[in-house]
Amino acid sequence: MALPTNARERAASFRMALPDDVIFSHVTAAQLWGLPLPRGLENQVELDVMRDTSRGRIVRHGCLGHRGRERRASTIVHGIPVTSLGDTWVDLGEVVSRGLGRDDLVVAGDVVATRTSRVPPGSSTADAVRPLADALAARVRPRNKALLTASLALVRPGVRSPMESRSRLVFVDAGFPEPEVNGHVFAADGGWLAECDLLWRARRVIGEYQGAVHSGIRARSRDSHRNGLLTDEGWLVLEIFAEDHTDRHRKSLMLNRFARALDLDPATLCIAG
């Protein structure tokens, strides 16, 4: 019989030996929900398990026991009982010591808000992130509440990828006006042109994160055609790459490039040289 190789298989196997009142939480729940996590947590082998405060904590090799199920909503994912999306996100505030930070909470929060938001287009961000806000407000003393609250203020629905979230945060942290997320752009005649990763509509500037899915010749051809149409309509399209996040010099050049495009004074921004 093959050994379990991922969180879903491990949780399904362990569940057979756990009491019926136990659910999976924290990092394990995030893995089962498919939330983006830092690499160290994405590969976490130990299973986070939870039961009511009135019951004894699970102490077993391969498990990290928690209590407090009665304060969390739960559901079934892949046939496995887990904490709800909102509660899972709040519980990630308890694993900061395992290598999770503010940007990671925002990235995961963007995914949760995108999945759970049921508000019509044009609604306020506060309405869109209410499932997360309600889950946080329901806790009496959540661990790292200040960090969770700060992260929640930066969560936006409609994000398509973790690197879109991280790119947006780079600009917000540098003091740029916050861009629209995946805003739709139309031609002068009203025809739809494109959905853009980061959009400063008033200045007609677009930021596009170019990940691996854009690397093939066909993808580059489509991007070139699309960008040409946008340029013809008076938009400036600037590309963002992973190295613009990881290389300090490239990050500075990229931010200065966007500052010029947006007619911002770099001296008023937090752009490291």
Side-chain angles (χ1 to χ4, degrees):
M1 182 177 178
L3 294 175
T5 60
N6 55 47
R8 179 177 175 179
E9 292 176 356
R10 288 193 297 272
S13 297
F14 258 86
R15 186 189 175 207
M16 293 187 290
L18 293 171
D20 290 340
D21 64 317
V22 174
I23 62 174
F24 293 92
S25 64
H26 296 75
V27 172
T28 303
Q31 292 171 331
L32 293 170
W33 278 113
L35 298 183
L37 294 166
R39 183 167 300 177
L41 296 180
E42 190 176 73
N43 298 324
Q44 177 182 295
V45 174
E46 295 86 0
L47 296 167
D48 287 290
V49 296
M50 177 176 286
R51 66 195 317 191
D52 286 358
T53 304
S54 61
R55 307 296 301 276
R57 190 190 305 269
I58 296 294
V59 180
R60 188 170 300 181
H61 179 70
C63 289
L64 301 172
H66 308 272
R67 293 188 295 178
R69 175 178 177 174
E70 71 279 3
R71 295 190 295 274
R72 291 157 174 82
S74 62
T75 188
I76 301 295
V77 175
H78 305 308
I80 300 168
V82 300
T83 49
S84 68
L85 268 172
D87 280 310
T88 297
W89 181 79
V90 176
D91 283 336
L92 288 179
E94 298 186 12
V95 301
V96 169
S97 61
R98 298 190 217 170
L100 184 141
R102 185 211 66 175
D103 286 9
D104 303 309
L105 285 170
V106 175
V107 168
D110 282 354
V111 173
V112 175
T114 298
R115 290 187 190 177
T116 61
S117 177
R118 297 292 184 270
V119 299
S123 300
S124 70
T125 298
D127 290 334
V129 302
R130 192 163 304 282
L132 283 171
D134 289 346
L136 179 57
R139 304 290 181 88
V140 178
R141 289 185 297 276
R143 195 172 301 172
N144 289 309
K145 181 179 180 179
L147 181 59
L148 285 165
T149 301
S151 301
L152 180 61
L154 293 167
V155 169
R156 301 291 181 267
V159 176
R160 307 298 186 203
S161 74
M163 288 307 294
E164 285 182 17
S165 297
R166 295 186 185 279
S167 296
R168 174 170 55 87
L169 292 175
V170 166
F171 289 105
V172 171
D173 287 343
F176 282 69
E178 183 173 343
E180 290 180 43
V181 175
N182 287 304
H184 289 249
V185 173
F186 297 86
D189 62 6
W192 184 85
L193 282 177
E195 179 183 274
C196 305
D197 294 348
L198 304 177
L199 176 65
W200 288 270
R201 192 176 296 276
R203 301 300 304 181
R204 301 184 76 80
V205 173
I206 294 166
E208 284 292 308
Y209 179 76
Q210 302 290 23
V213 296
H214 296 270
S215 61
I217 187 62
R218 289 185 178 180
R220 293 301 293 171
S221 176
R222 287 193 298 270
D223 288 342
S224 178
H225 174 68
R226 170 183 180 271
N227 293 347
L229 294 176
L230 289 164
T231 300
D232 290 344
E233 290 287 335
W235 293 87
L236 175 62
V237 183
L238 299 175
E239 295 181 322
I240 306 166
F241 294 90
E243 291 78 8
D244 296 323
H245 288 253
T246 58
D247 184 285
R248 182 177 178 181
H249 181 60
R250 281 193 53 162
K251 180 179 179 180
S252 176
L253 291 174
M254 183 267 292
L255 289 174
N256 275 287
R257 189 177 305 120
F258 273 86
R260 290 192 297 272
L262 293 166
D263 197 24
L264 299 173
D265 182 358
T268 65
L269 305 169
C270 298
I271 300 177

